[in-house]
Amino acid sequence: MRTVAVCTIILLSPEPRRSLELGVACVDVQALGGPGPLEELLLDPSTTKVFHSARQDLEVLGDGLGRIPAPVWDTQLAAALLGHPDQVGYG
């Protein structure tokens, strides 16, 4: 059986803070030992999480956190609702 894990999460803050000067951070989730240290943020119902093609990411995060993060905005689904064509894979 293959183990699946979240490896990288990119965080964006609308207001730069001292700890996040540019308002953007790329987090090595494996170095944190998993998504647990980000649990409060990921499960905060007042914070919208933006994903692209979120299904598999949410499945893995749900396994790691015990709950699926919400609310979520999926840019791929939003594009489809706006009439953009289906996206194709890389290969």
Side-chain angles (χ1 to χ4, degrees), residues 2 5 12-13 21-23 29-30 35 38 40-41 45-46 49 51 60 63-64 67 69 77-78 82 87 89-90:
R2 193 178 94 184
L12 172 66
S13 173
E21 265 200 48
L22 298 175
V29 178
Q30 297 301 305
L38 298 171
E40 183 178 345
L41 174 68
S46 69
K49 281 61 76 179
F51 289 82
V60 173
D63 287 346
R67 287 186 5 215
L77 290 177
L82 291 172
Q87 296 191 0
Y90 293 119

Side-chain angles (χ1 to χ4, degrees), residues 39 43 60-68:
E39 181 173 3
L43 298 178
V60 173
L61 284 169
D63 287 346
L65 298 170
R67 287 186 5 215
I68 295 175

Side-chain angles (χ1 to χ4, degrees), residues 10-89:
I10 298 172
L11 302 174
L12 172 66
S13 173
E15 299 174 16
R17 296 183 173 89
R18 185 176 288 170
S19 61
L20 202 60
E21 265 200 48
L22 298 175
V24 179
C26 185
V27 179
D28 180 350
V29 178
Q30 297 301 305
L32 294 176
L38 298 171
E39 181 173 3
E40 183 178 345
L41 174 68
L42 291 169
L43 298 178
D44 181 356
S46 69
T47 302
T48 300
K49 281 61 76 179
V50 179
F51 289 82
H52 180 78
S53 188
R55 185 179 61 82
Q56 290 178 324
D57 294 332
L58 293 176
E59 181 179 330
V60 173
L61 284 169
D63 287 346
L65 298 170
R67 287 186 5 215
I68 295 175
V72 169
W73 178 263
D74 187 327
T75 59
Q76 185 176 39
L77 290 177
L81 290 171
L82 291 172
H84 291 278
D86 289 341
Q87 296 191 0
V88 296

